[in-house]
Amino acid sequence: MERFLNKKIWNRGCEKMDMVNTQYIEQCIIKYEKIKNNTNVATAENNEVLAKLIKSMSHGFIKTNYDNWLEQCLLQEDWQKLNNLIFQQMRYRLLPGSSGGYDHCRNILPVLEAFACGDNNVLERILPHELGLTKNGYPFYIVISNLLMALWYKDDTLLKLAIPAAEKFIGTKKPQWERSGVAFLLSLHKKDVEAVGEHLQDFCTGYMRADFTKAMKQLCVPAHGLYSLAEKLIPTELFQQIKMPEHKNFSKGFAKWRNENPHPKLYLYFEYPPSLGILNQIFMAPVAKSIISQPYLQKDNPHHSPQLKNVWFLDEEAMLKGFVENI
């Protein structure tokens, strides 16, 4: 009897999700048609329409249904599906087109999400070695980006600059999760696996106090990214000694599955129907490579300070153009 009731509840849940997905698709089609209708297709080339679509997506006009999909994934405990969802959401967050006023440090959290799902090539596109250290952005983003770059590229010159900045940062009164994330990487560099586990625990705890959505707090994907990153940066025998966090926003089941699947297949969690097939192509395309520029350098505006003229920003338009051409 109990098994029958559980199956009945499960079937109802599936029916509800089917209805939610149907409504989601209908809304996506309406918004997609609106974007196309607002473009002069008679004179525009295909890549012009595509650029407008991607830019609209980056501004949230067409977005994923992450909150509902995550709930379903966690209920099913299907770790491949969860991996697919993390992959799709990360690719969505990395779409170019919306300026954030920062340099290449801006997308550090999606980089951690990429490690969580095994899309490890993302780091070298978002934080390419040739761009050097980040300087313009939120302090936590700058510090952790620079330390991660130094460790990933094994660049002693970058390390000499990144480590003192990181040590100074963890001594501040910045939010716990931010300080713990930086301390986690410093401990990895020192190969102090006990401290690594403690900082990961504190990262998950502090993450719950941050200004994130309910769904983002439900599963701390950046914590999973840091954990998976550790496997890439230290010897296997040390990685196996790292204690997983005891926290409701960290899935030990998913973490164990990732340990057993270090190179998972990268699929979309939600494949769009043929009428929206272009969205599938957009999500599966290699992420836009970071390009930075100094947009105020040559502008003769008396209101622009000399400091502003020398600041580097992500060149979202150039990144969007390259991304479209690649597709």
Side-chain angles (χ1 to χ4, degrees):
M1 183 67 177
E2 184 179 350
R3 184 181 299 176
F4 173 77
L5 289 174
N6 287 339
K7 186 175 181 181
K8 195 172 183 181
I9 293 170
W10 173 256
N11 288 338
R12 282 179 183 171
C14 290
E15 288 172 5
K16 183 180 177 181
M17 182 53 64
D18 288 342
M19 188 180 301
V20 168
N21 286 337
T22 299
Q23 293 171 345
Y24 169 70
I25 284 295
E26 289 173 352
Q27 288 299 311
C28 286
I29 291 174
I30 291 170
K31 292 176 180 179
Y32 179 43
E33 291 300 323
K34 187 174 182 179
I35 292 169
K36 287 199 299 182
N37 292 338
N38 288 338
T39 304
N40 189 346
V41 182
T43 59
E45 294 183 4
N46 288 337
N47 60 352
E48 192 174 329
V49 179
L50 183 56
K52 191 165 186 178
L53 171 61
I54 294 166
K55 194 166 187 175
S56 297
M57 292 173 69
S58 74
H59 281 87
F61 189 63
I62 295 178
K63 54 187 176 182
T64 64
N65 200 10
Y66 180 74
D67 293 21
N68 286 318
W69 296 342
L70 177 64
E71 189 74 33
Q72 192 73 2
C73 277
L74 294 177
L75 281 172
Q76 292 177 346
E77 293 191 350
D78 185 325
W79 305 130
Q80 178 65 63
K81 281 189 176 181
L82 179 58
N83 204 72
N84 299 347
L85 178 58
I86 293 171
F87 169 73
Q88 187 162 358
Q89 182 67 5
M90 174 270 298
R91 287 298 183 93
Y92 167 71
R93 279 160 54 78
L94 288 175
L95 290 176
S98 62
S99 178
Y102 294 167
D103 62 14
H104 46 306
C105 73
R106 179 192 177 196
N107 291 317
I108 183 59
L109 291 183
V111 168
L112 296 182
E113 295 167 9
F115 279 114
C117 66
D119 194 4
N120 303 328
N121 295 330
V122 164
L123 180 140
E124 296 185 16
R125 296 190 66 80
I126 300 302
L127 297 171
H129 197 185
E130 63 268 21
L131 292 188
L133 296 177
T134 69
K135 296 176 183 177
N136 172 33
Y138 183 60
F140 167 62
Y141 291 178
I142 293 173
V143 172
I144 197 168
S145 294
N146 291 341
L147 185 54
L148 178 53
M149 287 178 72
L151 294 174
W152 184 260
Y153 294 117
K154 298 176 181 168
D155 188 321
D156 290 336
T157 301
L158 296 185
L159 272 174
K160 288 176 183 177
L161 297 170
I163 288 179
E167 291 173 339
K168 181 179 179 181
F169 183 85
I170 61 176
T172 66
K173 293 183 179 180
K174 296 294 183 182
Q176 180 188 29
W177 74 279
E178 296 180 6
R179 290 182 282 113
S180 298
V182 174
F184 176 93
L185 291 184
L186 280 174
S187 298
L188 271 186
H189 176 60
K190 298 173 184 175
K191 296 183 173 56
D192 184 346
V193 292
E194 184 176 349
V196 166
E198 291 172 358
H199 293 312
L200 195 58
Q201 176 72 39
D202 291 341
F203 184 90
C204 291
T205 302
Y207 197 80
M208 296 298 288
R209 304 191 194 106
D211 186 21
F212 293 121
T213 65
K214 181 181 176 182
M216 291 176 72
K217 290 181 179 181
Q218 191 172 2
L219 181 70
C220 185
V221 180
H224 280 276
L226 288 171
Y227 181 71
S228 295
L229 172 66
E231 191 267 334
K232 304 293 179 186
L233 295 180
I234 60 175
T236 302
E237 60 272 16
L238 291 179
F239 172 71
Q240 291 172 345
Q241 296 174 36
I242 297 175
K243 186 178 179 182
M244 291 186 192
E246 298 287 342
H247 202 286
K248 62 182 180 181
N249 65 10
F250 189 90
S251 171
K252 287 187 176 181
F254 177 62
K256 289 175 182 175
W257 180 85
R258 281 287 285 111
N259 289 344
E260 295 164 2
N261 296 271
H263 305 288
K265 297 290 185 181
L266 299 174
Y267 303 113
L268 293 181
Y269 172 81
F270 187 86
E271 285 202 28
Y272 296 85
S275 58
L276 292 169
I278 186 61
L279 300 187
N280 296 326
Q281 294 181 48
I282 289 170
F283 283 125
M284 292 302 296
V287 301
K289 190 169 183 178
S290 292
I291 300 172
I292 56 175
S293 63
Q294 295 172 295
Y296 302 103
L297 186 61
Q298 303 301 329
K299 293 184 178 179
D300 189 18
N301 188 323
H303 299 292
H304 293 167
S305 67
Q307 291 82 4
L308 179 62
K309 291 187 175 186
N310 290 319
V311 175
W312 292 86
F313 296 86
L314 273 183
D315 192 334
E316 293 282 350
E317 290 302 317
M319 291 167 61
L320 178 60
K321 181 181 178 183
F323 185 68
V324 168
E325 289 174 352
N326 194 35
I327 293 178

